[in-house]
Amino acid sequence: GAVVSQHPSWVICKSGTSVKIECRSLDFQATTMFWYRQFPKQSLMLMATSNEGSKATYEQGVEKDKFLINHASLTLSTLTVTSAHPEDSSFYICSAYQGASGTEAFFGQGTRLTVV
Amino acid sequence: GQNIDQPTEMTATEGAIVQINCTYQTSGFNGLFWYQQHAGEAPTFLSYNVLDGLEEKGRFSSFLSRSKGYSYLLLKELQMKDSASYLCAVTSGNAGKSTFGDGTTLTVKP
């Protein structure tokens, strides 16, 4: 399958600071990238859908000013958690989609964010 | 909206067969994924069903009935390493957007 690289794998930051997470499709162009969040022992919850060159579409209850998403190219999307707080500590995962109907989206490795 | 149900936990014995069910209610159904996720890791793709029927891939098989809104993942010859969470995800529309069920935690015992 295609490779999606997510960086960093884990990060610890102080409360009030911002953290940027990158999601790259290494061997294909992703028309759409999805950002998910997963709290311990819970399933993946979609946060936002990111299309190259346009504004992200956020799911209900997700603060767009707090979770900034940029999809500047067909191979890179970034999620910035601004003014992080301990309750933002979670596992963040991206997936990248090539755009052909009926095919899967490929997941990155995930980023474990801990806010102290 | 979408409603996806799967059992929270299941336990099975090494070498046995286990079936994990998933029922869903959704509009604009496109396909259904099954993923395996070990603790602390990202999900890994197992199967994708679009049409009705059974698809077999080694020890794992997945079944879909679109009319019934029902799918199952069948794991044969269980191994200890199969202990993981199994996520059912429904894709709607043509943009690859998936909605996940809460996952089924499978524990394989000796």
Side-chain angles (χ1 to χ4, degrees):
Chain A
V3 179
V4 176
S5 176
Q6 189 172 338
H7 177 81
S9 298
W10 59 270
V11 59
I12 301 173
C13 71
K14 291 185 177 180
S15 186
T17 62
S18 296
V19 173
K20 179 185 285 188
I21 302 169
E22 292 187 349
C23 180
R24 294 181 183 271
S25 56
L26 298 185
D27 52 2
F28 67 98
Q29 293 185 325
T31 57
T32 306
M33 288 188 176
F34 303 94
W35 287 96
Y36 295 86
R37 179 168 53 183
Q38 186 177 34
F39 291 107
K41 297 188 178 182
Q42 296 185 22
S43 190
L44 281 73
M45 297 299 295
L46 181 65
M47 299 175 66
T49 302
S50 169
N51 291 297
E52 186 266 339
S54 63
K55 290 184 178 180
T57 302
Y58 290 81
E59 296 299 303
Q60 191 173 9
V62 178
E63 301 174 59
K64 62 180 181 180
D65 294 331
K66 179 172 181 61
F67 298 99
L68 302 179
I69 292 174
N70 184 283
H71 194 160
S73 76
L74 286 172
T75 59
L76 174 64
S77 177
T78 61
L79 167 67
T80 302
V81 183
T82 64
S83 187
H85 289 99
E87 56 264 33
D88 297 324
S89 298
S90 185
F91 193 46
Y92 293 86
I93 307 176
C94 70
S95 70
Y97 180 66
Q98 290 178 274
S101 180
T103 61
E104 64 187 276
F106 299 95
F107 282 92
Q109 305 96 314
T111 297
R112 172 76 58 193
L113 170 64
T114 302
V115 184
V116 298
Chain B
Q2 296 176 331
N3 189 26
I4 302 172
D5 291 313
Q6 51 182 129
T8 303
E9 295 179 335
M10 297 185 72
T11 302
T13 304
E14 190 176 16
I17 299 173
V18 70
Q19 178 175 312
I20 303 174
N21 296 324
C22 173
T23 59
Y24 63 90
Q25 293 176 310
T26 186
S27 57
F29 177 84
N30 191 355
L32 186 144
F33 290 101
W34 282 98
Y35 291 92
Q36 180 192 62
Q37 185 178 28
H38 286 99
E41 299 179 9
T44 55
F45 170 81
L46 292 178
S47 65
Y48 181 54
N49 292 67
V50 177
L51 302 176
D52 287 355
L54 182 70
E55 293 199 7
E56 299 183 72
K57 189 183 297 184
R59 293 190 299 115
F60 294 2
S61 302
S62 57
F63 172 83
L64 176 67
S65 169
R66 295 174 67 116
S67 62
K68 296 182 179 179
Y70 169 67
S71 173
Y72 67 74
L73 179 69
L74 191 70
L75 292 79
K76 303 176 184 177
E77 302 172 14
L78 281 173
Q79 302 175 8
M80 299 299 291
K81 67 178 182 179
D82 296 330
S83 292
S85 180
Y86 291 85
L87 305 173
C88 168
V90 171
T91 297
S92 59
N94 60 3
K97 178 179 176 179
S98 295
T99 301
F100 285 80
D102 289 339
T104 299
T105 299
L106 173 66
T107 301
V108 179
K109 295 185 175 180

